Amino acid sequence: TLPDITAYTQENGAKITGSVLNAGSYSKAGDFWIGAYESGFQLNEENLYGVLYPAGTKELKAAGPYELTSLAPSVNYDLYLAVYKMFDNGTYFVVVRDSKLNVASGAGNINLSYNSEGGAITGKITDYDGKPILGAYATLKDRTTDNYCGLATTDQNGAYIFYNIAQGEYILKGSHSLYAVSTVVNVNVNDGAGFSAADILMSATAMPPEIKPVIPDITSDEDTQKAYDLTQHETDPFDS
């Protein structure tokens, strides 16, 4: 038999409250999104901004107070603040910008900060024959902490894009249910430096011998692919 499952509501559940802070009035490409996961839950492309996994979520157009409700009492949660945007073509990106771990349900004044505009990454995910892969994830990990911190989905041309990534060093790779192997790209992101360009190759099996599994580091100053200027780019790059 299946175990009993308790559904919590605003009436019988706990809540966590606080504020999203943006002291520098930094711009962002999308909305703020807050997700609460049971403490210790490991984020990946299947559960970040998922429907089933966060115990509570909240979206905000701008910085300000938030309230997560209908949480299980006597449970601790990890809270993540992300920037999220859905584009007109159905693709989207999510980038984690702050977190508070092991927060007790019922806690108040749990503030999350958005403290820079950050930088951006754009590129394509293709197979090694150059064919674009629709519906793939470009996944982002912090190279220092190895923490999973973002995803972006691809369009029919294999194109993906991230905005508002905090300055730092990242590991970028592809993920798709039909492709087992991805090249890995090391990307350095600098605040206000425009777009870093990083293409990803994927294969259903092992990469052919001529494809190296690791692509050399790419920094924000190396516009090796098509790049965009954050201050001038006013339309989605997928439209071009």
Side-chain angles (χ1 to χ4, degrees), residues 77-105:
Y77 292 94
D78 295 339
L79 306 186
Y80 295 92
L81 171 68
V83 176
Y84 161 82
K85 182 176 177 63
M86 175 76 75
F87 295 99
D88 291 341
N89 63 359
T91 62
Y92 64 90
F93 77 88
V94 185
V95 172
V96 174
R97 291 301 309 266
D98 196 13
S99 63
K100 290 290 189 296
L101 306 181
N102 206 32
V103 177
S105 56

Side-chain angles (χ1 to χ4, degrees), residues 45-144:
E45 67 272 14
E46 298 297 332
N47 56 51
L48 178 61
Y49 199 76
V51 175
L52 298 177
Y53 296 99
T57 64
K58 182 68 177 179
E59 292 189 18
L60 298 174
K61 294 290 185 183
Y66 73 86
E67 183 177 87
L68 298 170
T69 63
S70 307
L71 300 174
S74 303
V75 173
N76 286 9
Y77 292 94
D78 295 339
L79 306 186
Y80 295 92
L81 171 68
V83 176
Y84 161 82
K85 182 176 177 63
M86 175 76 75
F87 295 99
D88 291 341
N89 63 359
T91 62
Y92 64 90
F93 77 88
V94 185
V95 172
V96 174
R97 291 301 309 266
D98 196 13
S99 63
K100 290 290 189 296
L101 306 181
N102 206 32
V103 177
S105 56
N109 298 316
I110 306 300
N111 295 333
L112 297 159
S113 295
Y114 178 71
N115 53 19
S116 70
E117 180 182 326
I121 301 173
T122 186
K124 290 186 176 182
I125 300 180
T126 64
D127 65 19
Y128 59 79
D129 290 324
K131 296 178 181 178
I133 301 175
L134 170 66
Y137 291 118
T139 66
L140 202 63
K141 273 190 173 185
D142 187 300
R143 196 159 70 182
T144 302

Side-chain angles (χ1 to χ4, degrees), residues 3-217:
D4 293 337
I5 298 175
T6 302
Y8 292 98
T9 66
Q10 293 189 24
E11 287 70 33
N12 66 0
K15 65 181 180 180
I16 295 174
T17 61
S19 292
V20 173
L21 307 178
N22 183 5
S25 299
Y26 298 107
S27 63
K28 55 185 176 58
D31 295 336
F32 289 125
W33 178 85
I34 304 162
Y37 299 77
E38 289 195 20
S39 288
F41 193 88
Q42 297 297 309
L43 292 183
N44 59 43
E45 67 272 14
E46 298 297 332
N47 56 51
L48 178 61
Y49 199 76
V51 175
L52 298 177
Y53 296 99
T57 64
K58 182 68 177 179
E59 292 189 18
L60 298 174
K61 294 290 185 183
Y66 73 86
E67 183 177 87
L68 298 170
T69 63
S70 307
L71 300 174
S74 303
V75 173
N76 286 9
Y77 292 94
D78 295 339
L79 306 186
Y80 295 92
L81 171 68
V83 176
Y84 161 82
K85 182 176 177 63
M86 175 76 75
F87 295 99
D88 291 341
N89 63 359
T91 62
Y92 64 90
F93 77 88
V94 185
V95 172
V96 174
R97 291 301 309 266
D98 196 13
S99 63
K100 290 290 189 296
L101 306 181
N102 206 32
V103 177
S105 56
N109 298 316
I110 306 300
N111 295 333
L112 297 159
S113 295
Y114 178 71
N115 53 19
S116 70
E117 180 182 326
I121 301 173
T122 186
K124 290 186 176 182
I125 300 180
T126 64
D127 65 19
Y128 59 79
D129 290 324
K131 296 178 181 178
I133 301 175
L134 170 66
Y137 291 118
T139 66
L140 202 63
K141 273 190 173 185
D142 187 300
R143 196 159 70 182
T144 302
T145 65
D146 200 39
N147 289 336
Y148 182 85
C149 57
L151 66 85
T153 57
T154 59
D155 67 3
Q156 68 273 13
N157 298 313
Y160 72 88
I161 194 166
F162 291 97
Y163 288 97
N164 304 125
I165 305 168
Q167 180 167 306
E169 299 179 348
Y170 295 92
I171 299 169
L172 185 70
K173 65 184 297 186
S175 176
H176 192 284
S177 60
L178 299 180
Y179 295 84
V181 182
S182 169
T183 53
V184 177
V185 187
N186 296 320
V187 185
N188 296 330
V189 174
N190 296 313
D191 285 337
F195 282 73
S196 299
D199 289 344
I200 300 168
L201 298 176
M202 298 194 72
S203 172
T205 56
M207 288 288 178
E210 67 272 15
I211 301 296
K212 295 182 179 181
V214 178
I215 296 175
D217 290 0

